[in-house]
Amino acid sequence: MTSPAERALDRLRGALGDVVDGGAVDSTPATVEAMRTDKSGHDSGSTPVAVVTARSIADVQETLRIASDLRIGVVTRGAGTGLAGGAIAGRDEIVLSTLALDDITDLSVADETVVVGPGIINAELNRRLEPHGLWYAPDPASKAISTIGGNIATNAGGLLCAKYGVTREAVLGLTIVRADGTVMTLGHRTVKGVTGLDLTALVIGSEGTLGVIVDATLKLRPLPTGVVATIGAYFADIVSAAGAAAAITAAGLRPAAMELLDSLALEHIGVHLDLELGDRGRAFLLVQTDGDASVSEAERVLAIIRSLGGDADLTTDPEEGERLLAIRRAFHPALEARGTVLIEDVAVPRSALPQMFAAIATIGERFALDIPTVAHAGDGNLHPNFLFAGDEVPPRVWEAAHEVFRAALDLGGTLTGEHGVGVLKRRWLADELGDDQVRLQHDIKRVFDPLGILNPGKLFPADIRHADIRPANSGHPETEDHS
């Protein structure tokens, strides 16, 4: 007797066409093996049944109808750039790729809105908007390779979100396909709109567990005018640098970008770029201002930095500004060149940045680990990174990561500022939200997806039961197959 997964594959091929014939269904070993992991490095432990490349909304509908009928899990995937294991697939699951849904279907320069498919690359969208004098502001570090659909699924942030907002603030409406194949249009194309509950905001950041996004109506901005001013500042230690960043925001200033790098980050970047980055200080604060008042704003920032002991320079030269930004952009490539990296993602109130950096340093000492850390200082989002050898995260690293999470929560922060929960953080979900809220969120998922076929095993704890939800206060994420 054939399994439900095998029957699903046969029906999908019949409905959409096998890849050998130029169709949409691909079950070749190389293709399905690649779906076991993403940029997080986490591996599902087994291979999915097939990858379905949707080329129309009808393809998405048919895939979900077949999956619902046969009770097969569906993992929606864009470019696979996620850092929480939210789009990895395993045994008896189908990967639904939305990469081919990459059109701009409507652009209104007058209304400053655009309707796009989920597969369009973030940076490509802005390249196509630039001739119209418009841009889409959310800018995750992966914008050159990540899709708008993936950005929406994780409510992605980035370097500019302190001034321009995260993804949720730039999405006016969505079209989604529900688990049973029905299409639902959410939101609006107007600047204002408060009709009923805000289901658009609910779907944003839901990590593919509520529906498959097939188009998005985005709010655009006019391209910034004026020069861009960039400040590179060195401090004696990261706590002092974080204090300066907190003082800048407390003064009512909103730079376009404000990035912090600790001494370990500078050390790795210096080796990677063959630069001497520690001769002026042990921590680096990068601040960039834009708009018509950029220079006067930068001068106020510079005065605050120098008053707090920073050794800083201000430039309006684009090439010099880009050189300073390149230091920050080199952080992750520098770490990846040294070994396997667990990239973490916590956020605290901006005023608590100094305490959070101090806590990370203490945790590193206690566990005898180097934890190079960078932060989007403008919004309190930190990325502690753990370097190790091999493919499996050592238990000691997970123990240290747990302490980092606990420290962030104790400071009034959150487990994830922009990467999402996925597989890697589901174990700690109830630590932040509590049992009642986790239960309510799971109930909401059941309304959208009563059979539980959409991205199974993601976001919620693996052992979740409607009447039996417990927090996991220690240990490390499950390593067994999540499917």
Side-chain angles (χ1 to χ4, degrees):
M1 179 180 294
T2 58
S3 69
E6 291 170 328
R7 294 199 299 275
L9 184 56
D10 287 341
R11 287 178 58 178
L12 285 166
R13 284 173 169 158
L16 304 176
D18 192 280
V19 71
V20 175
D21 299 319
V25 184
D26 187 352
S27 59
T28 55
T31 299
V32 294
E33 281 288 326
M35 302 297 106
R36 289 173 50 164
T37 189
D38 60 9
K39 282 289 186 179
S40 72
H42 190 79
D43 192 304
S44 68
S46 59
T47 54
V49 176
V51 176
V52 175
T53 299
R55 295 186 173 88
S56 66
I57 294 176
D59 287 353
V60 176
Q61 290 180 279
E62 186 63 21
T63 301
L64 291 179
R65 289 184 187 122
I66 291 171
S68 291
D69 187 38
L70 296 173
R71 308 297 197 268
I72 298 295
V74 176
V75 178
T76 307
R77 185 172 171 116
T81 61
L83 293 168
I88 61 176
R91 184 176 58 249
D92 294 334
E93 293 180 342
I94 294 165
V95 175
L96 178 56
S97 171
T98 57
L99 274 175
L101 301 176
D102 61 353
D103 291 335
I104 293 178
T105 56
D106 183 53
L107 170 63
S108 174
V109 175
D111 293 327
E112 296 179 353
T113 60
V114 66
V115 181
V116 302
I120 192 167
I121 299 297
N122 184 302
E124 171 64 14
L125 171 61
N126 274 326
R127 188 189 68 78
R128 294 170 66 179
L129 292 173
E130 186 175 3
H132 303 281
L134 298 169
W135 70 305
Y136 174 70
D139 72 322
S142 61
K143 64 182 180 182
I145 54 174
S146 63
T147 64
I148 291 295
N151 294 170
I152 294 170
T154 58
N155 191 27
L159 273 66
L160 302 182
C161 59
K163 181 174 182 178
Y164 293 107
V166 296
T167 298
R168 179 176 283 114
E169 294 160 89
V171 179
L172 293 171
L174 296 170
T175 301
I176 67 169
V177 180
R178 296 177 64 190
D180 63 359
T182 59
V183 176
M184 180 177 289
T185 300
L186 311 175
H188 42 78
R189 296 194 185 191
T190 55
V191 175
K192 295 180 178 178
V194 293
T195 308
L197 301 178
D198 191 351
L199 298 182
T200 306
L202 181 63
V203 171
I204 298 168
S206 64
E207 303 185 37
T209 63
L210 302 183
V212 178
I213 298 166
V214 291
D215 77 31
T217 302
L218 308 176
K219 180 167 59 177
L220 306 177
R221 293 174 179 269
L223 284 167
T225 57
V227 301
V228 174
T230 307
I231 297 171
Y234 289 87
F235 287 82
D237 56 76
I238 190 60
V239 174
S240 299
I248 290 166
T249 55
L253 296 166
R254 293 294 177 270
M258 187 157 61
E259 298 292 301
L260 266 172
L261 296 89
D262 71 3
S263 61
L264 290 169
L266 285 178
E267 180 181 326
H268 287 292
I269 294 169
V271 171
H272 186 66
L273 298 179
D274 194 22
L275 295 174
E276 288 290 338
L277 296 178
D279 55 342
R280 292 177 63 181
R282 300 290 294 163
F284 183 68
L285 175 63
L286 173 74
V287 183
Q288 196 166 75
T289 59
D290 63 3
D292 294 335
S294 62
V295 176
S296 62
E297 186 179 13
E299 288 171 346
R300 291 176 61 194
V301 169
L302 185 64
I304 292 172
I305 288 173
R306 287 177 172 168
S307 73
L308 295 173
D311 178 8
D313 299 312
L314 187 160
T315 182
T316 56
D317 178 70
E319 290 186 5
E320 179 62 14
E322 184 56 37
R323 187 190 70 79
L324 292 171
L325 275 173
I327 295 174
R328 168 62 180 88
R329 291 198 185 105
F331 176 62
H332 290 302
L335 292 188
E336 289 174 345
R338 302 290 292 272
T340 309
V341 188
L342 173 66
I343 305 171
E344 274 308 337
D345 166 45
V346 296
V348 296
R350 290 174 293 200
S351 59
L353 271 172
Q355 297 97 305
M356 190 63 212
F357 270 105
I360 292 170
T362 299
I363 292 165
E365 291 173 4
R366 183 160 65 244
F367 287 91
L369 291 169
D370 287 342
I371 311 176
T373 302
V374 299
H376 306 310
D379 52 38
N381 188 190
L382 301 97
H383 296 306
N385 284 244
F386 298 85
L387 268 171
F388 56 92
D391 297 327
E392 291 292 329
V393 181
R396 182 167 59 114
V397 169
W398 280 125
E399 291 166 10
H402 170 76
E403 293 299 319
V404 169
F405 302 156
R406 184 73 264 163
L409 295 180
D410 288 345
L411 289 169
T414 179
L415 292 169
T416 174
E418 58 189 6
H419 293 171
V421 174
V423 173
L424 295 188
K425 286 192 173 176
R426 61 188 180 181
R427 188 176 206 46
W428 290 278
L429 193 67
D431 286 5
E432 177 175 342
L433 302 181
D435 288 356
D436 288 344
Q437 191 176 159
V438 173
R439 181 180 293 111
L440 177 60
Q441 292 198 16
H442 189 245
D443 287 348
I444 291 170
K445 173 174 171 56
R446 290 175 62 178
V447 171
F448 278 79
D449 178 22
L451 299 177
I453 69 165
L454 294 177
N455 215 6
K458 311 306 194 317
L459 185 58
F460 298 105
D463 61 350
I464 192 169
R465 299 291 184 272
H466 180 58
D468 179 26
I469 300 172
R470 60 175 179 82
N473 294 314
S474 62
H476 53 85
E478 306 87 340
T479 58
E480 72 271 11
D481 179 21
H482 68 274
S483 57

